[in-house]
Amino acid sequence: MKKNILAGCLAFTILLNALQPVFAETIISDTSATSDSSIIVGPIINSESNTISGTAISSDSSITTDGALLDDAISKIIFTLNSKVALIDGKSVKLLLPPKLIQGRTLLPLRIAVENILKAQVLWNSKTKTITITKDANTIILRIGNRTALVNGVAILLDVAPILEYGTTLLPIRFLAEQMGILIEFDAVTKKIYLTGSLLAANKIPDASFYFPQAFVAGQAVTAVDTSMDSDGDAITAREWMINLNPKQKNAQLSTIFSYPNAGTYAISLKVKDSKGAWSNWYTEYLTIAPNQPPIVTAINVPQESFKRGEEILYDFSFDNESWETIKAVKWSYYLTKDLLSQPIYAKPSRIFDAGEYTVTLQLQDAYGNWSDKFNKQIVINSELLFTEFAYKFNFAAPGETIANFSGYNFMDYIDTMKESMDIGKGLLYMSNSPERVITNGMLYKDKVTGTGRAIIHHINSFISEDALEKRLVIVAVNQSTSAQNLTISNSTILGPTSDVLHLGQQLLYRYLQGSPSTSYILHPNDVQILYDSNGKKWENGTAISGLFDFTTSGETTLIVGCIDQSNSISDLFNMTYPLRDVHPRGSFTDLNQNILVNLTNLTEPSKLVLGKTSDEWISGYDGINGELVVNRGNYGMEYHISVTAKERTAVILNPRGNVYNGAIKWNDSTPFLAPSDGYFFGGKDRASFLGIIEAGQTRDFTYMLPNGSASPILFAFIPDTYW
């Protein structure tokens, strides 16, 4: 379907020197010719008809007694920026107000063009401050102080609104050029503005047209074939596209505003400009974008019917999807078929180490974001042994790989390790995690900090859907003391929003362990420094934002985590109340780090170290808002530095004993890695993640922290190579 929007006489709204009924005075013209043959143009208001007419007195015979210039008399009008003198075909004209720049836009008091070049009728409504311009079948309505004009009923947005100054209406010159095709040129050196009237009057406006070469699917790049033409043979020099007749969705390139649309029906409009500056009318086509279909996995193939324990398994799979669309994610998992309650392993099973039938599951995600249905393939592992899981993983696996442990061995049966010492590193641990699910605005946590510390933040937007997008999470530092304070923030990582809390917590810890440069601030008394603002990040209902950073202050500084509206200023936060705390922890704790020395030199069998299991391990502190005593269950934000000395070559694994876990580890002589490297641990205690090897007689250190969104306790097992 097609639709033409008549731009009509929109542009001559900039020419309204005559629109000045708000002021009673007019220029009183001398009836004799001036010595410099100038023409003084002033308005006369007909109060009954609200029609604006004019009086012009001159010795030039081309000027009529009622002020209308003869049709053939004008071929060019020249204005000069900030000058009250204009030239009409070389004749001087005195203006009530000169052309001027406002907000970077040129505005002209050009009643001359409206009445003489365009021959339009102008009506003024003093009550509504509305200007109505009619020309043939076209009608334009503007209002003083309003940027929206109506052109034949279609809303068009002006660069700047019409204004009145000293009885003269000024409007933007671009409006005239784009909507009427009157050629306007600007000489930046002389500041002169050239309007060509009669030359363009004979120019025919170009015809915009285009078509879509094919049907399109959501997520597919939309292309259009431009078939616009100019009957005069003029070149097409500019294009403007518009989506859904919305002036706010306009651009010279269709791909900029309409690249990969969602399914639905859209109005796509185009107008073009010829080399003489004339714009076409809008041309519109309606395009229906079909829904994007998810991929379909059709087969998983393996080269043989059964495999030895620990034998490599090679896979080939096939699928159906739109031919133009790529697959951006592949998700594998597998589980023991007979044990439907066992936790799946979220990884591609390149080797399986326990005999039995396993169900291997594959899902594909296309570029649009659709996930396929799960496709299952049964794999049989026979009883013949090639590798045990420990022997293969501890010799060949990369750090972070999953220990499946389908045999169900309980790592808690290992003996407790020998802890040589455990030192507490002091500092301030600032935690804002309650309420975890935020349903009201306010200061979520606030406390004064001094010296060295670490901040941990985790909140989920739980406002009702229509209000959720109006919310922002902010973190600010305030100096409420009487002297300047130095504040340094280091290793700062704040991620989200996302609904995948486990992945968020893992990535947050991984990036924190990687480290980042520090940022320093000088806070003078009463200064407020914004450390984070989620504004523009679409913090939607059900999505979480998590943060970790270290800080050092030279004196007392107040840290505040808050939830505010998009329309709020940061200062509004200080007048808000404190939302009620829930079961999750918030507070300030004076234990920041733990240094643990593990001596395995007297052990010849597997041993374990369990962290975060019992209440006597949990650090205690106070709630900075109400002063109550609080407990950090699991010790979130506590950084453990674990140093292990081994007698034999020893493997280290991490075995989560809580309900869910997805984390990261850093060996201090290496870089951080994800643990597990694929997927996450959920709902079971059999799985583990391989961390690395300590050679015989060697001491290695690693750093551990309980990730946001995960649960404690955590078991670290140390397994000598004689048990592999």
Side-chain angles (χ1 to χ4, degrees):
M1 293 183 289
K2 306 174 183 176
K3 181 178 179 182
N4 286 309
I5 303 174
L6 295 177
C9 305
L10 183 59
F12 56 63
T13 58
I14 67 169
L15 310 178
L16 302 183
N17 182 37
L19 302 182
Q20 44 208 332
V22 176
F23 298 87
E25 65 235 63
T26 64
I27 293 180
I28 307 301
S29 305
D30 191 344
T31 57
S32 62
T34 62
S35 60
D36 60 356
S37 299
S38 63
I39 307 168
I40 301 177
V41 182
I44 295 178
I45 314 293
N46 184 330
S47 59
E48 294 182 1
S49 65
N50 283 334
T51 301
I52 299 176
S53 61
T55 300
I57 308 298
S58 173
S59 61
D60 194 316
S61 60
S62 67
I63 308 298
T64 65
T65 57
D66 65 356
L69 298 177
L70 297 178
D71 287 352
D72 297 333
I74 298 176
S75 62
K76 180 177 289 188
I77 304 176
I78 302 175
F79 296 91
T80 303
L81 201 60
N82 300 319
S83 172
K84 288 187 178 182
V85 177
L87 295 176
I88 301 178
D89 286 343
K91 301 293 184 179
S92 295
V93 177
K94 291 182 180 178
L95 305 172
L96 290 173
L97 203 66
K100 62 172 58 180
L101 280 174
I102 297 179
Q103 298 178 13
R105 299 290 187 265
T106 303
L107 279 77
L108 299 178
L110 293 183
R111 163 184 174 271
I112 300 171
V114 173
E115 295 190 343
N116 298 291
I117 294 180
L118 301 175
K119 295 297 182 184
Q121 183 180 24
V122 181
L123 300 177
W124 165 258
N125 187 321
S126 59
K127 291 182 179 180
T128 63
K129 298 188 183 303
T130 300
I131 305 156
T132 302
I133 305 169
T134 56
K135 173 70 174 179
D136 299 327
N138 300 307
T139 301
I140 301 171
I141 301 175
L142 305 104
R143 180 174 294 174
I144 299 299
N146 192 323
R147 290 180 61 198
T148 302
L150 290 178
V151 181
N152 298 322
V154 178
I156 301 294
L157 192 67
L158 284 73
D159 290 336
V160 292
I163 62 174
L164 276 171
E165 284 193 8
Y166 302 105
T168 297
T169 302
L170 296 93
L171 291 107
I173 193 171
R174 180 179 175 184
F175 201 40
L176 174 65
E178 291 187 351
Q179 301 301 329
M180 281 301 296
I182 293 179
L183 182 62
I184 299 177
E185 297 178 353
F186 178 72
D187 188 324
V189 176
T190 63
K191 307 298 183 184
K192 293 188 182 299
I193 304 164
Y194 299 86
L195 271 68
T196 302
S198 59
L199 291 179
L200 277 181
N203 179 49
K204 294 180 181 179
I205 65 173
D207 294 312
S209 64
F210 63 93
Y211 69 89
F212 297 106
Q214 64 183 74
F216 295 97
V217 174
Q220 187 176 11
V222 173
T223 58
V225 178
D226 186 353
T227 56
S228 302
M229 62 174 293
D230 187 283
S231 59
D232 297 330
D234 298 327
I236 302 297
T237 59
R239 292 166 177 80
E240 190 167 72
W241 297 88
M242 179 168 60
I243 308 301
N244 290 336
L245 310 181
N246 183 357
K248 293 182 179 180
Q249 290 184 287
K250 293 197 297 185
N251 197 275
Q253 299 292 330
L254 178 61
S255 60
T256 301
I257 53 175
F258 197 69
S259 53
Y260 298 96
N262 294 325
T265 298
Y266 300 85
I268 314 298
S269 303
L270 171 67
K271 69 175 181 178
V272 297
K273 184 172 74 172
D274 66 17
S275 58
K276 292 189 175 69
W279 283 94
S280 71
N281 294 318
W282 286 103
Y283 174 88
T284 301
E285 289 276 1
Y286 288 85
L287 175 66
T288 297
I289 304 294
N292 187 295
Q293 300 301 319
I296 299 173
V297 180
T298 56
I300 298 177
N301 301 305
V302 293
Q304 57 202 58
E305 292 185 0
S306 69
F307 298 84
K308 300 174 186 178
R309 295 170 58 193
E311 183 179 2
E312 184 177 16
I313 306 171
L314 299 177
Y315 298 89
D316 181 32
F317 63 87
S318 57
F319 63 94
D320 292 331
N321 194 36
E322 288 93 349
S323 59
W324 50 269
E325 188 175 34
T326 59
I327 297 297
K328 74 173 184 179
V330 179
K331 183 187 294 184
W332 294 88
S333 63
Y334 65 107
Y335 59 91
L336 189 62
T337 304
K338 69 177 183 179
D339 188 2
L340 296 178
L341 298 179
S342 68
Q343 178 196 6
I345 303 296
Y346 295 99
K348 184 179 181 179
S350 59
R351 297 173 191 267
I352 300 176
F353 300 91
D354 293 290
E357 182 186 82
Y358 293 82
T359 298
V360 177
T361 299
L362 173 63
Q363 278 187 286
L364 303 178
Q365 187 184 40
D366 62 23
Y368 189 68
N370 293 320
W371 281 101
S372 70
D373 291 334
K374 294 180 179 179
F375 186 92
N376 295 330
K377 171 73 174 180
Q378 274 63 48
I379 302 292
V380 175
I381 306 300
N382 59 46
S383 60
E384 187 174 353
L385 178 63
L386 186 61
F387 289 105
T388 66
E389 185 165 27
F390 281 1
Y392 182 82
K393 292 290 177 71
F394 296 164
N395 282 292
F396 304 109
E401 286 197 22
T402 295
I403 307 294
N405 188 28
F406 280 110
S407 64
Y409 182 81
N410 187 355
F411 298 111
M412 284 295 290
D413 291 339
Y414 289 161
I415 65 171
D416 291 330
T417 191
M418 302 281 294
K419 288 187 288 187
E420 192 168 277
S421 66
M422 186 170 68
D423 298 327
I424 302 298
K426 295 298 182 180
L428 184 69
L429 178 58
Y430 173 103
M431 174 182 286
S432 180
N433 181 220
S434 188
E436 182 172 279
R437 294 188 172 273
V438 182
I439 59 174
T440 58
N441 286 355
M443 287 185 275
L444 304 176
Y445 192 59
K446 173 185 176 182
D447 197 15
K448 296 176 180 178
V449 300
T450 303
T452 299
R454 181 179 304 118
I456 179 170
I457 297 100
H458 184 75
H459 292 286
I460 300 173
N461 182 336
S462 293
F463 287 83
I464 57 175
S465 297
E466 54 264 33
D467 294 334
L469 284 177
E470 300 298 320
K471 305 304 173 183
R472 294 153 55 195
L473 186 73
V474 296
I475 306 171
V476 298
V478 185
N479 182 5
Q480 296 178 317
S481 71
T482 58
S483 59
Q485 306 294 343
N486 296 316
L487 171 65
T488 299
I489 304 296
S490 58
N491 302 320
S492 179
T493 303
I494 303 177
L495 301 179
T498 177
S499 59
D500 191 341
V501 173
L502 282 176
H503 181 71
L504 173 65
Q506 182 185 56
Q507 290 297 315
L508 180 76
L509 179 55
Y510 175 70
R511 298 188 190 188
Y512 173 81
L513 292 175
Q514 286 181 312
S516 62
S518 60
T519 303
S520 296
Y521 308 93
I522 298 176
L523 302 181
H524 297 283
N526 299 317
D527 275 359
V528 177
Q529 177 63 51
I530 300 173
L531 303 179
Y532 175 79
D533 188 343
S534 70
N535 189 22
K537 294 184 181 294
K538 294 185 178 179
W539 189 30
E540 300 176 335
N541 175 270
T543 62
I545 295 175
S546 275
L548 261 177
F549 59 84
D550 298 325
F551 60 82
T552 302
T553 68
S554 62
E556 191 174 84
T557 303
T558 301
L559 287 184
I560 303 174
V561 178
C563 177
I564 60 177
D565 287 337
Q566 294 285 348
S567 58
N568 286 138
S569 66
I570 293 296
S571 61
D572 293 333
L573 176 64
F574 306 132
N575 298 318
M576 295 182 180
T577 57
Y578 305 101
L580 293 177
R581 192 174 66 198
D582 60 19
V583 297
H584 296 88
R586 81 176 180 198
S588 300
F589 310 89
T590 56
D591 294 345
L592 193 62
N593 305 309
Q594 285 195 21
N595 303 308
I596 301 174
L597 301 181
V598 176
N599 187 352
L600 303 177
T601 57
N602 295 321
L603 295 179
T604 58
E605 61 181 300
S607 59
K608 68 180 184 294
L609 169 67
V610 181
L611 299 177
K613 181 180 180 181
T614 59
S615 59
D616 61 339
E617 298 178 58
W618 301 337
I619 56 177
S620 60
Y622 63 90
D623 187 325
I625 293 175
N626 57 30
E628 294 179 358
L629 294 178
V630 292
V631 173
N632 183 349
R633 294 178 176 84
N635 291 348
Y636 290 92
M638 168 75 73
E639 190 170 280
Y640 292 86
H641 302 284
I642 302 171
S643 178
V644 184
T645 302
K647 179 180 179 180
E648 302 179 34
R649 190 167 189 254
T650 300
V652 184
I653 66 172
L654 180 154
N655 171 228
R657 307 302 295 181
N659 188 46
V660 292
Y661 182 83
N662 203 21
I665 295 290
K666 182 181 186 301
W667 287 100
N668 294 344
D669 57 4
S670 185
T671 57
F673 58 90
L674 305 181
S677 55
D678 291 302
Y680 54 90
F681 296 138
F682 178 78
K685 300 178 181 180
D686 297 334
R687 313 297 178 233
S689 182
F690 170 59
L691 301 187
I693 298 295
I694 303 173
E695 298 296 340
Q698 183 185 29
T699 298
R700 290 191 75 187
D701 307 323
F702 66 89
T703 300
Y704 155 78
M705 182 188 294
L706 183 62
N708 288 358
S710 293
S712 65
I714 300 298
L715 180 152
F716 295 96
F718 309 99
I719 307 170
D721 59 1
T722 52
Y723 286 81
W724 297 358

